Amino acid sequence: MGLIEIAALIVAAISIIHLWIVRKSHHHKALTIIEQIETDENLKRTLAMGIYYRFKNKETVQTKAGEVVEENYSKLFIKEDPVTFERFVANIFEKKFNGTAWVTNPSWDFGVDFDLTVKDKKYLAQVKCYKDDMGYEPIALLHSNIVKEGAAGGYVITTGSFNKNAVNYAHSLKDIELIDGLELVEYWLEGVKEVDKELIGEIEEA
């Protein structure tokens, strides 16, 4: 093997090592950022608000000239609809509980947006992209479905929070857990952090 070939191999080896270090550094930095967010209440509240604006229904606004138009968003933002929000939340719950989620058809969900199977037990979930505090009505509807289907329990999830009547009603049922916007963000961050940890492990094993 000549000097040119040896030099080429050395350069290639250095490039691979550099790439490995950069990738490892990137994922470690990502984990550090996530851990900082997890300890900052205001950042989590901001993320919860961002999730709401990402998935809420588009609204119309009236211009100064009196014209009614659909509100616009910056091209920087991710804009999806509440139906996509159901799949977003279902994916978070799959990772959180190591289960399997099935999103129902929006036209016949009857108060159940997805069901989650964990260790052969079935849980039902109702998801709301709300900016206001939720009342007890969606909880009552979900509970009737839990009884009807013989499910182990259920979750009512919102980007906002719950009013006092909703909280008291859920506590009286004992088989429904309320997940507000902050908890949803925490579940989401846990899943993102777990993925980064797995990637770091793969890089370190390579």
Side-chain angles (χ1 to χ4, degrees):
M1 183 180 293
L3 289 175
I4 295 177
E5 289 83 356
I6 293 173
L9 285 174
I10 291 172
V11 170
I14 291 172
S15 299
I16 291 169
I17 292 169
H18 178 262
L19 177 62
W20 179 85
I21 292 171
V22 169
R23 290 177 64 190
K24 185 176 179 181
S25 174
H26 165 75
H27 290 295
H28 277 300
K29 286 177 181 176
L31 284 177
T32 301
I33 292 168
I34 292 169
E35 287 164 358
Q36 288 175 342
I37 293 172
E38 287 176 331
T39 59
D40 191 313
E41 185 86 356
N42 285 334
L43 278 174
K44 287 189 287 187
R45 289 178 182 273
T46 302
L47 284 174
M49 183 172 65
I51 291 174
Y52 164 72
Y53 278 103
R54 171 178 171 179
F55 292 104
K56 78 181 185 74
N57 279 318
K58 285 191 173 182
E59 298 174 352
T60 56
V61 294
Q62 190 170 12
T63 66
K64 291 181 179 179
E67 182 185 5
V68 176
V69 296
E70 194 174 79
E71 62 181 347
N72 293 318
Y73 297 91
S74 168
K75 62 182 180 181
L76 177 71
F77 300 159
I78 302 172
K79 189 70 190 85
E80 296 174 283
D81 56 40
V83 175
T84 312
F85 180 54
E86 296 171 7
R87 170 44 58 188
F88 173 79
V89 177
N91 287 337
I92 290 173
F93 272 65
E94 280 186 329
K95 292 183 177 71
K96 170 69 177 177
F97 297 103
N98 194 28
T100 303
W102 180 74
V103 179
T104 59
N105 189 320
S107 61
W108 50 270
D109 63 27
F110 303 111
V112 178
D113 292 316
F114 70 88
D115 62 55
L116 179 73
T117 302
V118 181
K119 296 180 180 178
D120 297 325
K121 289 186 177 181
K122 184 178 181 180
Y123 299 85
L124 307 182
Q126 172 71 271
V127 177
K128 295 294 185 184
C129 187
Y130 280 1
K131 65 178 178 180
D132 301 316
D133 290 342
M134 185 187 294
Y136 74 90
E137 294 87 350
I139 302 170
L141 182 57
L142 183 69
H143 184 254
S144 67
N145 280 287
I146 290 172
V147 173
K148 181 180 178 181
E149 297 191 27
Y155 300 91
V156 177
I157 305 122
T158 178
T159 49
S161 190
F162 303 90
N163 65 29
K164 186 176 180 180
N165 287 338
V167 172
N168 291 338
Y169 184 66
H171 285 170
S172 71
L173 297 175
K174 301 185 185 305
D175 58 357
I176 290 181
E177 186 173 346
L178 304 182
I179 307 295
D180 64 15
L182 285 180
E183 288 178 286
L184 179 60
V185 165
E186 288 169 0
Y187 285 10
W188 183 29
L189 292 175
E190 285 176 19
V192 173
K193 188 162 69 172
E194 192 59 36
V195 169
D196 260 342
K197 283 181 177 177
E198 290 174 2
L199 286 172
I200 289 171
E202 291 173 3
I203 292 169
E204 290 177 342
E205 289 174 4

